[in-house]
Amino acid sequence: MRLTFHGACRTVTGSCFLLEVNGSKVLVDCGMFQGSKTEKELNYRAFPFRPKDIDALVLTHSHIDHSGLIPKLTRDGFDGPVYSTQAAADLCSIMLPDSGFIQEMEVDQLNRRNARRGKESVEPIYTAEDATACLTQFRPVAYGQWFTVGKGLRAKFWDAGHLLGSASVEVEASRADKSGRPTRLFFSGDIGPKFKLLQGDPEGPQGVDHLVCEATYGDTERPDVLPETRRGLLKAEILDAASRRGALIIPSFAVERTQELLVDIHGLIESGDIPPCPIFIDSPLATKASAVFARHAGEMTAGDALVRAMNFRTVRFTESVEQSKSIGRMSGFHIVISASGMCEAGRIRHHLKNWLWRQEATVLMVGFQAQGTLGRILLDGARKVRIMGEEIDVRARIRSLDVYSGHADGPELASWIEKRKPIAGRVFLVHGEQEAIDGLAGRLSSTLDKGSILFPSLDECFELDANDASTVAAPQPARLKPEHLGRVDWHNDLSRLLLDIDDAVRKEGDEKGRSRLIRKIRRAIENGRED
Ligand SMILES: [Zn+2]
């Protein structure tokens, strides 16, 4: 049995694991890389395996960093089934075409710029049409039900409590000669925290041979956030933003986070803790996702509260670009919840461009911001940022509220792993930046033998037997070295340098000083080239 890690290795995106057993090739997740440009570039390259050779794909959940390359996989020749829960399939039916649309738009903008510079045009990773095409391959399966994914290979979904329809996957492989007991693998997918607003606690089997576990927040210890505490913190942020009389801009994942915020904001209005105010959900994806959530309301805790909030009189789901633009002309206090959650794409960039330079505005981050994203750059205190080619001063208050995490924190991950014991073989830590992985490994060291914890690197391949795993040479060299993953890359350094140069030149008292500084910088570049 072979397991190759084709993504989410020392970084939080691009989840994709290839399991080869009894002649079957099965993928667990096929996610998009979303971090720095160096990582995102991987999305454009060929897969490190032949899509045609893949027999089936088992999908843990609909988040793009787990599902986002399925359309490309299909376009490049994969024609097998995609197994997921019904809710995950429903969410993919809106999220994947949306992702295709974003790829097309981004490439369109890039090509216009390339044309002006006489550069060659590029193709999108996939189109909305490619995404729609792959949806016919989805085969929904209920939680707790075994399904066959290959020869002598079956799988079962367990509720991961991370997102509507999210699952951990148990995989059981019998030996080709049917001798001995089968080998059991368990893939965590993404694990939800305790007290999650719309989801229950994560579940899983006891006793596995090998465990592949996410480590997104492995180095983080959050105090338990009870629902009252969470609403109290949100109330304080909203009242503070309201007192400044500007907009409260909330970059938010369209799926689940937006619906959670809506439930809490509406709850605060209902209880009289905050006054009713205009609330705009300005994201076509969030609008569609909310409809899917309403359809699955019965499967969620607080599902009915969500339906009530969606129908509240000051809540508006905008659709057209005109409606979105008209929000931009509003003054006075109002709340705009818009995507994407890390400010990398979507309508949120227009709202940020519109409000970041104004003191009366507040930007409230409510989700994980990966290294290198605009959201992270703002959180790290940048005074200027570039949005759509324009330089914007940051005068708005940048706040962050870490109480809506969809992820378990370090202690919760450790206790989730504890519940899977006995673990006969190895624990592979994935889906986390290096610090997070080290943090989780540290927590596990008191209860697990140190040698049993492994940190796979990108495209690393392991030969597994019931209680051991050894690295074997992968058929292809790794696409990126570990040091290039989960890091700020040179693109971020360059944009920071350009802003610093601009600052320094402007600070010079007169024309002469400015010219002198520009000459010095030019000389430094020329000397640099000769080095
Ligand atoms: Zn996720």
Side-chain angles (χ1 to χ4, degrees):
M1 183 191 284
R2 273 189 180 194
L3 180 60
T4 313
F5 293 83
H6 288 307
C9 299
R10 304 184 204 186
T11 181
V12 292
T13 65
S15 275
C16 183
F17 314 122
L18 173 62
L19 188 61
E20 295 167 273
V21 58
N22 301 340
S24 295
K25 288 182 199 269
V26 173
L27 282 185
V28 175
D29 289 345
C30 189
M32 187 177 277
F33 290 94
Q34 297 175 301
S36 67
K37 283 201 180 177
T38 310
E39 282 178 50
K40 284 197 273 192
E41 197 266 323
L42 291 174
N43 298 322
Y44 290 89
R45 295 205 217 165
F47 285 105
F49 44 79
R50 289 210 320 181
K52 231 164 76 93
D53 297 345
I54 304 297
D55 298 296
L57 168 68
V58 182
L59 179 65
T60 61
H61 63 292
S62 58
H63 278 151
I64 293 301
D65 62 322
H66 293 257
S67 71
L69 289 186
I70 299 176
K72 174 176 158 125
L73 189 72
T74 296
R75 191 203 55 201
D76 293 358
F78 167 66
D79 59 4
V82 178
Y83 297 106
S84 75
T85 64
Q86 179 68 59
D90 289 351
L91 287 174
C92 279
S93 74
I94 54 169
M95 292 168 77
L96 293 177
D98 179 79
S99 168
F101 178 69
I102 291 171
Q103 310 314 321
E104 287 182 63
M105 269 204 338
E106 283 184 350
V107 162
D108 207 47
Q109 282 170 4
L110 183 66
N111 281 344
R112 257 179 276 159
R113 249 183 293 157
N114 279 349
R116 282 199 294 273
R117 293 174 191 170
K119 282 193 194 169
E120 267 180 54
S121 62
V122 290
E123 289 286 312
I125 305 165
Y126 56 84
T127 63
E129 207 184 315
D130 295 328
T132 305
C134 82
L135 298 175
T136 56
Q137 285 165 250
F138 277 73
R139 301 284 177 271
V141 187
Y143 291 112
Q145 197 180 301
W146 285 109
F147 53 97
T148 303
V149 291
K151 222 166 84 199
L153 195 63
R154 59 178 194 161
K156 180 158 84 176
F157 288 130
W158 293 78
D159 193 346
H162 165 69
L163 169 81
L164 177 62
S166 68
S168 301
V169 185
E170 184 177 359
V171 176
E172 204 183 76
S174 330
R175 289 172 191 276
D177 58 5
K178 301 236 166 67
S179 70
R181 64 173 188 85
T183 305
R184 293 207 298 164
L185 267 64
F186 196 47
F187 295 85
S188 69
D190 288 357
I191 298 296
K194 262 196 278 182
F195 308 116
K196 190 160 177 352
L197 180 49
L198 296 171
Q199 309 300 331
D201 290 342
E203 297 166 352
Q206 223 186 345
V208 297
D209 292 316
H210 300 285
L211 183 63
V212 177
C213 187
E214 66 121 326
T216 318
Y217 286 103
D219 59 340
T220 307
E221 208 162 317
R222 279 189 304 256
D224 273 352
V225 184
L226 297 168
E228 310 83 85
T229 319
R230 185 188 65 229
R231 277 195 295 270
L233 291 168
L234 180 65
K235 172 186 165 183
E237 291 296 341
I238 293 177
L239 290 179
D240 206 353
S243 72
R244 292 164 178 264
R245 298 172 199 282
L248 170 59
I249 306 288
I250 310 183
S252 167
F253 294 118
V255 180
E256 190 130 335
R257 187 64 39 82
T258 294
Q259 291 76 22
E260 289 175 325
L261 285 167
L262 200 52
V263 169
D264 269 354
I265 294 171
H266 174 252
L268 288 171
I269 295 175
E270 255 185 346
S271 59
D273 282 298
I274 60 168
C277 62
I279 300 161
F280 297 98
I281 314 296
D282 188 31
S283 151
L285 180 62
T287 301
K288 287 183 201 149
S290 298
V292 173
F293 273 70
R295 241 182 13 246
H296 289 271
E299 297 158 38
M300 283 178 285
T301 48
D304 50 339
L306 173 62
V307 174
R308 268 206 323 279
M310 284 171 63
N311 293 314
F312 187 63
R313 63 187 162 80
T314 65
V315 173
R316 290 274 175 284
F317 289 86
T318 56
E319 275 167 27
S320 66
V321 175
E322 282 64 42
Q323 284 174 325
S324 171
K325 279 188 182 151
S326 70
I327 307 172
R329 289 191 287 274
M330 270 192 78
S331 57
F333 178 65
H334 57 285
I335 300 175
V336 181
I337 304 174
S338 184
S340 71
M342 300 191 205
C343 313
E344 286 295 275
R347 291 183 182 173
I348 189 66
R349 292 176 80 87
H350 293 274
H351 294 297
L352 289 174
K353 199 173 161 188
N354 195 18
W355 282 100
L356 268 180
W357 54 276
R358 302 195 226 181
Q359 266 171 346
E360 66 268 33
T362 304
V363 177
L364 179 62
M365 306 289 180
V366 290
F368 180 78
Q369 307 295 324
Q371 281 282 14
T373 60
L374 176 60
R376 178 73 151 252
I377 290 165
L378 284 170
L379 257 191
D380 287 347
R383 286 171 299 118
K384 283 179 184 185
V385 290
R386 289 188 88 85
I387 299 178
M388 297 179 273
E390 221 173 287
E391 193 177 293
I392 315 275
D393 285 340
V394 181
R395 293 200 201 95
R397 257 177 4 124
I398 309 293
R399 303 283 303 163
S400 115
L401 190 56
D402 186 18
V403 293
Y404 287 94
S405 182
H407 286 272
D409 67 357
E412 286 170 338
L413 283 172
S415 97
W416 183 88
I417 293 172
E418 190 65 29
K419 285 183 191 147
R420 306 288 83 82
K421 282 183 175 176
I423 299 167
R426 299 285 183 257
V427 176
F428 297 91
L429 297 185
V430 297
H431 201 286
E433 288 169 8
Q434 188 67 56
E435 299 73 23
I437 287 176
D438 292 343
L440 183 55
R443 272 172 227 285
L444 298 176
S445 61
S446 59
T447 58
L448 278 175
D449 174 32
K450 209 172 169 207
S452 67
I453 308 170
L454 300 173
F455 322 115
S457 59
L458 186 69
D459 298 328
E460 194 173 4
C461 180
F462 293 86
E463 187 75 48
L464 307 180
D465 62 35
N467 49 26
D468 202 7
S470 45
T471 310
V472 290
Q476 296 191 28
R479 288 165 294 168
L480 280 181
K481 297 223 167 69
E483 60 267 31
H484 291 133
L485 287 153
R487 293 272 173 274
V488 171
D489 67 9
W490 66 268
H491 293 93
N492 302 103
D493 291 342
L494 176 63
S495 82
R496 203 168 305 151
L497 174 68
L498 291 175
L499 291 172
D500 287 347
I501 290 176
D502 190 77
D503 255 1
V505 171
R506 278 171 210 281
K507 262 191 213 133
E508 286 293 327
D510 54 17
E511 196 63 37
K512 226 168 123 191
R514 283 191 279 272
S515 303
R516 194 170 48 226
L517 183 57
I518 290 170
R519 266 202 313 278
K520 267 192 195 165
I521 295 169
R522 201 174 285 288
R523 219 173 299 140
I525 294 171
E526 279 155 9
N527 289 342
R529 258 196 217 129
E530 285 157 17
D531 281 350

